[in-house]
Short mmCIF file of all heavy atoms in Angstrom, two decimals:
data_model
loop_
_atom_site.label_atom_id
_atom_site.label_comp_id
_atom_site.label_asym_id
_atom_site.label_seq_id
_atom_site.Cartn_x
_atom_site.Cartn_y
_atom_site.Cartn_z
N GLU A 1 -74.25 49.88 73.86
CA GLU A 1 -74.74 51.17 74.32
C GLU A 1 -73.64 52.22 74.30
O GLU A 1 -73.86 53.36 73.89
CB GLU A 1 -75.32 51.04 75.74
CG GLU A 1 -76.69 50.38 75.80
CD GLU A 1 -77.34 50.51 77.16
OE1 GLU A 1 -76.60 50.64 78.16
OE2 GLU A 1 -78.58 50.47 77.22
N MET A 2 -72.44 51.83 74.75
CA MET A 2 -71.32 52.77 74.75
C MET A 2 -70.94 53.15 73.33
O MET A 2 -70.66 54.31 73.03
CB MET A 2 -70.12 52.14 75.48
CG MET A 2 -68.85 52.99 75.45
SD MET A 2 -69.05 54.66 76.14
CE MET A 2 -69.13 54.27 77.89
N LEU A 3 -70.94 52.19 72.44
CA LEU A 3 -70.60 52.41 71.04
C LEU A 3 -71.47 53.50 70.43
O LEU A 3 -71.00 54.33 69.64
CB LEU A 3 -70.74 51.10 70.28
CG LEU A 3 -70.07 50.95 68.92
CD1 LEU A 3 -68.56 50.92 69.08
CD2 LEU A 3 -70.54 49.67 68.25
N GLN A 4 -72.76 53.50 70.79
CA GLN A 4 -73.72 54.42 70.20
C GLN A 4 -74.03 55.63 71.08
O GLN A 4 -74.90 56.42 70.76
CB GLN A 4 -75.04 53.68 69.93
CG GLN A 4 -74.89 52.51 68.97
CD GLN A 4 -76.20 51.79 68.78
OE1 GLN A 4 -76.92 52.00 67.81
NE2 GLN A 4 -76.54 50.92 69.72
N SER A 5 -73.31 55.77 72.18
CA SER A 5 -73.56 56.86 73.11
C SER A 5 -73.06 58.18 72.55
O SER A 5 -72.45 58.24 71.48
CB SER A 5 -72.86 56.58 74.44
OG SER A 5 -71.46 56.68 74.28
N GLU A 6 -73.30 59.26 73.30
CA GLU A 6 -72.80 60.57 72.88
C GLU A 6 -71.27 60.61 72.88
O GLU A 6 -70.66 61.45 72.22
CB GLU A 6 -73.35 61.68 73.78
CG GLU A 6 -72.85 61.69 75.21
CD GLU A 6 -73.64 60.77 76.12
OE1 GLU A 6 -74.51 60.03 75.62
OE2 GLU A 6 -73.39 60.79 77.34
N ILE A 7 -70.63 59.68 73.60
CA ILE A 7 -69.17 59.60 73.61
C ILE A 7 -68.66 58.94 72.34
O ILE A 7 -67.67 59.37 71.75
CB ILE A 7 -68.68 58.84 74.86
CG1 ILE A 7 -69.10 59.58 76.12
CG2 ILE A 7 -67.16 58.64 74.83
CD1 ILE A 7 -68.90 58.79 77.40
N SER A 8 -69.32 57.88 71.91
CA SER A 8 -68.97 57.14 70.69
C SER A 8 -67.47 56.86 70.58
O SER A 8 -66.82 57.27 69.60
CB SER A 8 -69.44 57.91 69.45
OG SER A 8 -70.83 57.88 69.34
N PRO A 9 -66.90 56.18 71.55
CA PRO A 9 -65.46 55.89 71.48
C PRO A 9 -65.15 54.72 70.57
O PRO A 9 -66.06 54.06 70.05
CB PRO A 9 -65.15 55.52 72.94
CG PRO A 9 -66.40 54.82 73.39
CD PRO A 9 -67.54 55.56 72.72
N ILE A 10 -63.88 54.47 70.39
CA ILE A 10 -63.44 53.19 69.84
C ILE A 10 -63.59 52.16 70.95
O ILE A 10 -63.08 52.35 72.05
CB ILE A 10 -61.98 53.25 69.37
CG1 ILE A 10 -61.82 54.27 68.23
CG2 ILE A 10 -61.49 51.88 68.94
CD1 ILE A 10 -60.37 54.57 67.87
N VAL A 11 -64.30 51.08 70.68
CA VAL A 11 -64.49 50.01 71.67
C VAL A 11 -63.72 48.79 71.19
O VAL A 11 -63.94 48.31 70.06
CB VAL A 11 -65.98 49.68 71.85
CG1 VAL A 11 -66.15 48.59 72.92
CG2 VAL A 11 -66.76 50.93 72.26
N ILE A 12 -62.82 48.29 72.01
CA ILE A 12 -62.04 47.11 71.68
C ILE A 12 -62.90 45.88 71.98
O ILE A 12 -63.30 45.65 73.12
CB ILE A 12 -60.73 47.03 72.47
CG1 ILE A 12 -59.93 48.33 72.33
CG2 ILE A 12 -59.90 45.83 72.03
CD1 ILE A 12 -59.49 48.64 70.93
N LEU A 13 -63.19 45.10 70.95
CA LEU A 13 -64.11 43.97 71.07
C LEU A 13 -63.44 42.67 70.65
O LEU A 13 -62.58 42.66 69.77
CB LEU A 13 -65.34 44.20 70.18
CG LEU A 13 -66.17 45.46 70.47
CD1 LEU A 13 -67.14 45.73 69.33
CD2 LEU A 13 -66.93 45.30 71.78
N ASP A 14 -63.82 41.58 71.30
CA ASP A 14 -63.34 40.26 70.88
C ASP A 14 -64.01 39.87 69.57
O ASP A 14 -65.23 40.02 69.41
CB ASP A 14 -63.66 39.21 71.95
CG ASP A 14 -62.84 39.39 73.21
OD1 ASP A 14 -61.85 40.15 73.18
OD2 ASP A 14 -63.19 38.78 74.24
N LYS A 15 -63.22 39.36 68.63
CA LYS A 15 -63.78 38.85 67.39
C LYS A 15 -64.53 37.55 67.65
O LYS A 15 -64.17 36.78 68.55
CB LYS A 15 -62.67 38.57 66.38
CG LYS A 15 -61.78 39.73 66.00
CD LYS A 15 -60.63 39.23 65.13
CE LYS A 15 -59.63 40.30 64.80
NZ LYS A 15 -58.44 39.76 64.09
N LYS A 16 -65.56 37.29 66.87
CA LYS A 16 -66.22 35.98 66.95
C LYS A 16 -65.29 34.89 66.43
O LYS A 16 -65.26 33.78 66.96
CB LYS A 16 -67.53 36.00 66.16
CG LYS A 16 -68.64 36.76 66.87
CD LYS A 16 -69.95 36.70 66.11
CE LYS A 16 -71.06 37.40 66.89
NZ LYS A 16 -72.34 37.43 66.13
N ASN A 17 -64.55 35.21 65.40
CA ASN A 17 -63.51 34.33 64.88
C ASN A 17 -62.18 35.04 65.10
O ASN A 17 -61.89 36.04 64.45
CB ASN A 17 -63.74 34.04 63.40
CG ASN A 17 -62.65 33.18 62.78
OD1 ASN A 17 -61.64 32.89 63.42
ND2 ASN A 17 -62.83 32.79 61.53
N SER A 18 -61.38 34.54 66.04
CA SER A 18 -60.17 35.25 66.44
C SER A 18 -59.18 35.45 65.30
O SER A 18 -58.32 36.32 65.37
CB SER A 18 -59.49 34.52 67.60
OG SER A 18 -59.08 33.22 67.20
N ARG A 19 -59.31 34.65 64.24
CA ARG A 19 -58.38 34.77 63.11
C ARG A 19 -58.94 35.62 61.97
O ARG A 19 -58.25 35.85 60.97
CB ARG A 19 -58.02 33.38 62.58
CG ARG A 19 -57.27 32.53 63.59
CD ARG A 19 -56.85 31.20 62.99
NE ARG A 19 -56.11 30.37 63.93
CZ ARG A 19 -55.62 29.18 63.64
NH1 ARG A 19 -55.80 28.66 62.43
NH2 ARG A 19 -54.95 28.49 64.56
N ALA A 20 -60.16 36.06 62.12
CA ALA A 20 -60.78 36.86 61.05
C ALA A 20 -60.18 38.26 60.99
O ALA A 20 -59.66 38.78 61.99
CB ALA A 20 -62.29 36.95 61.29
N HIS A 21 -60.24 38.86 59.82
CA HIS A 21 -59.84 40.24 59.60
C HIS A 21 -58.41 40.50 60.05
O HIS A 21 -58.09 41.56 60.62
CB HIS A 21 -60.81 41.20 60.31
CG HIS A 21 -62.26 40.90 60.04
ND1 HIS A 21 -62.82 40.99 58.78
CD2 HIS A 21 -63.25 40.46 60.87
CE1 HIS A 21 -64.09 40.64 58.84
NE2 HIS A 21 -64.38 40.31 60.09
N ASP A 22 -57.53 39.53 59.78
CA ASP A 22 -56.13 39.68 60.16
C ASP A 22 -55.45 40.85 59.46
O ASP A 22 -54.45 41.37 59.95
CB ASP A 22 -55.35 38.39 59.85
CG ASP A 22 -55.51 37.34 60.93
OD1 ASP A 22 -56.24 37.63 61.91
OD2 ASP A 22 -54.95 36.25 60.81
N HIS A 23 -55.99 41.25 58.31
CA HIS A 23 -55.40 42.38 57.60
C HIS A 23 -55.64 43.69 58.36
O HIS A 23 -54.94 44.68 58.12
CB HIS A 23 -55.96 42.49 56.18
CG HIS A 23 -57.46 42.65 56.13
ND1 HIS A 23 -58.33 41.66 56.52
CD2 HIS A 23 -58.22 43.70 55.74
CE1 HIS A 23 -59.57 42.09 56.37
NE2 HIS A 23 -59.54 43.31 55.90
N ILE A 24 -56.62 43.70 59.26
CA ILE A 24 -56.89 44.87 60.09
C ILE A 24 -56.19 44.73 61.43
O ILE A 24 -55.52 45.63 61.91
CB ILE A 24 -58.41 45.05 60.34
CG1 ILE A 24 -59.16 45.13 59.01
CG2 ILE A 24 -58.66 46.31 61.17
CD1 ILE A 24 -60.66 45.10 59.18
N SER A 25 -56.36 43.57 62.06
CA SER A 25 -55.77 43.30 63.37
C SER A 25 -55.42 41.83 63.46
O SER A 25 -56.28 40.97 63.28
CB SER A 25 -56.76 43.67 64.49
OG SER A 25 -56.33 43.17 65.73
N SER A 26 -54.15 41.54 63.76
CA SER A 26 -53.72 40.16 63.93
C SER A 26 -54.02 39.65 65.33
O SER A 26 -53.75 38.50 65.65
CB SER A 26 -52.22 40.04 63.64
OG SER A 26 -51.48 40.83 64.56
N LEU A 27 -54.56 40.52 66.19
CA LEU A 27 -54.95 40.13 67.54
C LEU A 27 -56.33 39.49 67.51
O LEU A 27 -57.00 39.47 66.48
CB LEU A 27 -54.95 41.35 68.46
CG LEU A 27 -53.65 42.18 68.51
CD1 LEU A 27 -53.84 43.40 69.40
CD2 LEU A 27 -52.49 41.33 69.01
N HIS A 28 -56.78 39.00 68.67
CA HIS A 28 -58.12 38.42 68.76
C HIS A 28 -59.19 39.49 68.96
O HIS A 28 -60.36 39.18 69.12
CB HIS A 28 -58.18 37.40 69.91
CG HIS A 28 -58.10 38.03 71.28
ND1 HIS A 28 -56.93 38.56 71.79
CD2 HIS A 28 -59.04 38.21 72.23
CE1 HIS A 28 -57.15 39.04 72.99
NE2 HIS A 28 -58.42 38.84 73.29
N THR A 29 -58.75 40.74 68.95
CA THR A 29 -59.66 41.86 69.18
C THR A 29 -59.69 42.78 67.96
O THR A 29 -58.79 42.76 67.12
CB THR A 29 -59.23 42.67 70.42
OG1 THR A 29 -57.87 43.11 70.22
CG2 THR A 29 -59.32 41.83 71.67
N LEU A 30 -60.72 43.62 67.94
CA LEU A 30 -60.91 44.57 66.86
C LEU A 30 -61.42 45.88 67.47
O LEU A 30 -62.39 45.88 68.25
CB LEU A 30 -61.94 44.03 65.87
CG LEU A 30 -62.02 44.63 64.47
CD1 LEU A 30 -60.69 44.49 63.73
CD2 LEU A 30 -63.13 43.95 63.68
N GLY A 31 -60.75 46.99 67.16
CA GLY A 31 -61.19 48.30 67.64
C GLY A 31 -62.25 48.87 66.73
O GLY A 31 -61.97 49.16 65.55
N CYS A 32 -63.46 49.06 67.25
CA CYS A 32 -64.60 49.47 66.41
C CYS A 32 -65.23 50.76 66.92
O CYS A 32 -65.35 50.98 68.13
CB CYS A 32 -65.67 48.39 66.41
SG CYS A 32 -65.12 46.78 65.81
N MET A 33 -65.66 51.60 66.00
CA MET A 33 -66.51 52.74 66.32
C MET A 33 -67.54 52.90 65.22
O MET A 33 -67.38 52.36 64.12
CB MET A 33 -65.70 54.02 66.51
CG MET A 33 -64.84 54.42 65.32
SD MET A 33 -63.92 55.95 65.65
CE MET A 33 -62.63 55.86 64.39
N VAL A 34 -68.61 53.61 65.55
CA VAL A 34 -69.66 53.89 64.57
C VAL A 34 -69.54 55.34 64.13
O VAL A 34 -68.87 56.15 64.78
CB VAL A 34 -71.06 53.61 65.17
CG1 VAL A 34 -71.23 52.14 65.51
CG2 VAL A 34 -71.31 54.48 66.40
N PRO A 35 -70.16 55.72 63.01
CA PRO A 35 -70.15 57.13 62.60
C PRO A 35 -70.66 58.02 63.73
O PRO A 35 -71.70 57.72 64.33
CB PRO A 35 -71.10 57.14 61.40
CG PRO A 35 -71.03 55.76 60.84
CD PRO A 35 -70.88 54.86 62.03
N TYR A 36 -69.92 59.10 64.03
CA TYR A 36 -70.32 59.95 65.16
C TYR A 36 -70.44 61.44 64.80
O TYR A 36 -70.76 62.25 65.66
CB TYR A 36 -69.38 59.77 66.35
CG TYR A 36 -67.92 60.11 66.10
CD1 TYR A 36 -67.48 61.44 66.17
CD2 TYR A 36 -66.98 59.13 65.83
CE1 TYR A 36 -66.15 61.76 65.96
CE2 TYR A 36 -65.65 59.43 65.62
CZ TYR A 36 -65.24 60.76 65.69
OH TYR A 36 -63.91 61.07 65.48
N THR A 37 -70.19 61.78 63.55
CA THR A 37 -70.42 63.16 63.10
C THR A 37 -71.32 63.13 61.87
O THR A 37 -71.48 62.10 61.22
CB THR A 37 -69.11 63.87 62.73
OG1 THR A 37 -68.59 63.29 61.52
CG2 THR A 37 -68.07 63.76 63.83
N GLY A 38 -71.85 64.30 61.55
CA GLY A 38 -72.67 64.39 60.35
C GLY A 38 -71.90 63.98 59.12
O GLY A 38 -72.44 63.31 58.22
N LEU A 39 -70.63 64.36 59.06
CA LEU A 39 -69.80 63.99 57.91
C LEU A 39 -69.71 62.46 57.78
O LEU A 39 -69.85 61.91 56.69
CB LEU A 39 -68.41 64.61 58.06
CG LEU A 39 -67.45 64.54 56.86
CD1 LEU A 39 -66.42 65.66 56.95
CD2 LEU A 39 -66.73 63.20 56.80
N HIS A 40 -69.48 61.79 58.92
CA HIS A 40 -69.38 60.31 58.88
C HIS A 40 -70.69 59.68 58.41
O HIS A 40 -70.68 58.74 57.60
CB HIS A 40 -69.03 59.78 60.27
CG HIS A 40 -67.70 60.23 60.79
ND1 HIS A 40 -67.47 60.48 62.12
CD2 HIS A 40 -66.54 60.48 60.15
CE1 HIS A 40 -66.21 60.85 62.28
NE2 HIS A 40 -65.63 60.87 61.11
N HIS A 41 -71.80 60.16 58.95
CA HIS A 41 -73.10 59.59 58.56
C HIS A 41 -73.35 59.78 57.06
O HIS A 41 -73.84 58.85 56.39
CB HIS A 41 -74.22 60.25 59.37
CG HIS A 41 -74.29 59.80 60.80
ND1 HIS A 41 -74.78 58.57 61.16
CD2 HIS A 41 -73.93 60.43 61.95
CE1 HIS A 41 -74.72 58.45 62.49
NE2 HIS A 41 -74.21 59.56 62.98
N LEU A 42 -73.01 60.95 56.56
CA LEU A 42 -73.20 61.21 55.13
C LEU A 42 -72.26 60.35 54.29
O LEU A 42 -72.65 59.82 53.24
CB LEU A 42 -72.97 62.69 54.84
CG LEU A 42 -74.08 63.63 55.32
CD1 LEU A 42 -73.59 65.07 55.36
CD2 LEU A 42 -75.31 63.50 54.43
N LEU A 43 -71.03 60.19 54.75
CA LEU A 43 -70.06 59.38 54.02
C LEU A 43 -70.54 57.93 53.90
O LEU A 43 -70.52 57.34 52.82
CB LEU A 43 -68.70 59.43 54.73
CG LEU A 43 -67.53 58.71 54.07
CD1 LEU A 43 -67.25 59.27 52.68
CD2 LEU A 43 -66.28 58.82 54.95
N PHE A 44 -71.04 57.38 55.01
CA PHE A 44 -71.50 55.99 54.98
C PHE A 44 -72.79 55.83 54.18
O PHE A 44 -73.08 54.74 53.69
CB PHE A 44 -71.67 55.46 56.41
CG PHE A 44 -70.43 54.81 56.95
CD1 PHE A 44 -69.37 55.59 57.41
CD2 PHE A 44 -70.28 53.44 56.96
CE1 PHE A 44 -68.21 55.02 57.88
CE2 PHE A 44 -69.13 52.85 57.43
CZ PHE A 44 -68.08 53.63 57.89
#
């Protein structure tokens, strides 16, 4: 809900596989946000 709210912050989330996506984050967490502007929506 927070991810998709009008605030649309970066939400630090635990990975399902703590070793996945090490090229992005070597931690067990991943900072995620969704498109929050018209430009982002159009880009995606």
Side-chain angles (χ1 to χ4, degrees):
E1 284 191 334
M2 176 57 74
L3 198 68
Q4 300 178 99
S5 70
E6 68 275 6
I7 298 169
S8 290
I10 297 170
V11 182
I12 308 297
L13 301 167
D14 290 346
K15 301 173 185 173
K16 285 184 177 177
N17 177 354
S18 62
R19 296 184 179 181
H21 312 296
D22 278 1
H23 59 293
I24 304 172
S25 168
S26 62
L27 306 176
H28 70 287
T29 57
L30 198 59
C32 301
M33 58 180 161
V34 296
Y36 60 82
T37 70
L39 190 156
H40 297 146
H41 286 285
L42 287 164
L43 184 60
F44 270 78

